[in-house]
Amino acid sequence: MNNYENFQSRFKLLVGKNQHLIVNTLSNIFTMRLIGNKTHGDLAEIGIVEFINQFMYDFKSVHVGKDLLEPKTMKRILL
């Protein structure tokens, strides 16, 4: 079994036994969208990263979205 298949099976097991954890995580993400936060995609990425880091102890997840932005793109965003 490769790492991704291992992750999938462990994720299914965790969510199957503790469905409220993923429901609460996703509810928080989509509630932010409802109150007007337009970066819900980023929130979803960060939320899932934190879910993995907090509840799936054998795995480590890193949100790299902002680290991978090109300097030109970042300059346009800041202006």
Side-chain angles (χ1 to χ4, degrees):
M1 181 181 300
N2 67 34
N3 289 337
Y4 183 66
E5 290 169 341
N6 184 29
F7 172 81
Q8 283 182 310
S9 66
R10 297 279 299 282
F11 184 78
K12 287 178 189 176
L13 182 65
L14 174 66
V15 171
K17 290 184 176 184
N18 300 290
Q19 188 176 10
H20 66 284
L21 296 175
I22 194 69
V23 168
N24 287 340
T25 300
L26 295 174
S27 294
N28 288 337
I29 291 166
F30 293 118
T31 298
M32 290 300 290
R33 175 63 180 150
L34 289 174
I35 63 172
N37 191 324
K38 293 185 177 156
T39 60
H40 62 286
D42 242 2
L43 285 174
E45 291 173 23
I46 294 167
I48 296 302
V49 163
E50 292 305 318
F51 178 88
I52 292 167
N53 288 335
Q54 186 170 359
F55 299 113
M56 300 184 74
Y57 307 113
D58 295 340
F59 297 94
K60 182 179 180 210
S61 184
V62 178
H63 179 248
V64 296
K66 291 184 180 164
D67 294 337
L68 296 179
L69 279 176
E70 292 180 29
K72 287 190 301 188
T73 306
M74 196 59 167
K75 185 176 178 182
R76 262 188 267 137
I77 290 171
L78 294 175
L79 294 177

